[in-house]
Amino acid sequence: AVPFEPEACRWFCTMTVSKLHHFNPQFVLRCFADENGRITTIRQPERRSRTSRVRETGAENHLYSMPGHPHGSDVFEKALGAGIETETALLFERVVKGEWPLPQLDRNTLAEFIALQIIRGPEQRRLMESTASRLVKSAVAHLGMDGMTRWASDTAGQPITDEEAEELLKLVTEDDGVVIPYTARDRIDMMGQVTEPVAGFIAARPWTLVRFTRRSLITSDSPVSLVAYEQPGTWMGVGVSNARFVLYPMTRRIGIIMRDPLENVGSEDDLSGLVAQARSGELDDAIVGTTSIEKMMNEYTAAHAINNIYHHPDDLRFVPAGYREIAR
């Protein structure tokens, strides 16, 4: 699903290799920046803010770097920019100018882009590494000291002492004792496997476009929010398949609310037909933004931020109070 075709990217070899890779695309951040291309970041949980240029925001050094790649270590970063990001930037322009709903093919492109925003950020890398580390710790716990000693001896190619085995067991089982790193290739492979099914769930929802005139939206390093059903006494993890709403702030003045197509269906409704209608865009609509919608979207955006909340330099008042910069 991720548009990465190395053979189509040979011209990248002649370009300067970039070390700063964006998990928040620059064209999206510009939709929240001022006319000079400056945007304010509020770092969480410290709640410190700074205003900087878009090209220096929403990025991490070597996030997608693949050292030794024949087309340059930053080939995937550039492929994203030349592929789906370029296509989606044009869709954003059309929506800003008033087009809605989108034709189904363009709608699918936007669904894929939104899915990519869910899974491309550094928080997903940390989640992958944390999951792998927990699996290793669980396996070691089942081995016990004797099993750990045999495994470590086999791995080292020579016997290890009980003291060495005990030290290794302590290292592996401590909270911060071991981290299983994931390479850029691991993350890229994951994006290729996961983007398409996630985009499918997003495309199967009816979309409501919300246009604001007096109110403004914020965004974050995890810009897609999942809103769960409130079911007192029960709990179920929320994902794109079972969320009541999926929220996405496109620009400072435009947001998308992706609704559950099955929320109000009756026993006589044709469920497959309803989903097909949603995928085609027939159920999409548009409304005027209200204060309550702005507050709801911004609360979820702020709460779902991993490290950074982004907003137009003039829009501090729209950041929920609990996430604004603390006076020092």
Side-chain angles (χ1 to χ4, degrees), residues 51-104:
T51 299
S52 58
R53 293 171 295 182
V54 161
R55 66 174 176 268
E56 300 167 350
T57 306
E60 184 175 304
N61 284 338
H62 301 296
L63 182 62
Y64 307 119
S65 286
M66 292 187 288
H69 194 284
H71 303 316
S73 61
D74 62 344
V75 63
F76 185 74
E77 167 77 357
K78 288 175 177 173
L80 283 173
I84 192 169
E85 289 184 6
T86 296
E87 293 180 42
T88 308
L90 295 175
L91 294 180
F92 270 47
E93 289 181 13
R94 287 162 51 188
V95 173
V96 168
K97 291 177 180 178
E99 182 177 348
W100 193 263
L102 293 171
Q104 184 170 0

Side-chain angles (χ1 to χ4, degrees), residues 25-41 51-55 57 216-219 250-253 310-315:
Q26 294 184 69
F27 83 87
V28 176
L29 292 179
R30 289 190 191 100
C31 296
F32 297 84
D34 64 16
E35 62 275 10
N36 297 315
R38 294 176 67 79
I39 190 169
T40 299
T41 301
T51 299
S52 58
R53 293 171 295 182
V54 161
R55 66 174 176 268
T57 306
S216 292
L217 297 178
I218 62 174
T219 190
M250 283 185 68
T251 76
R252 182 188 178 203
R253 303 294 192 190
Y310 310 114
H311 66 85
H312 187 284
D314 295 339
D315 286 346

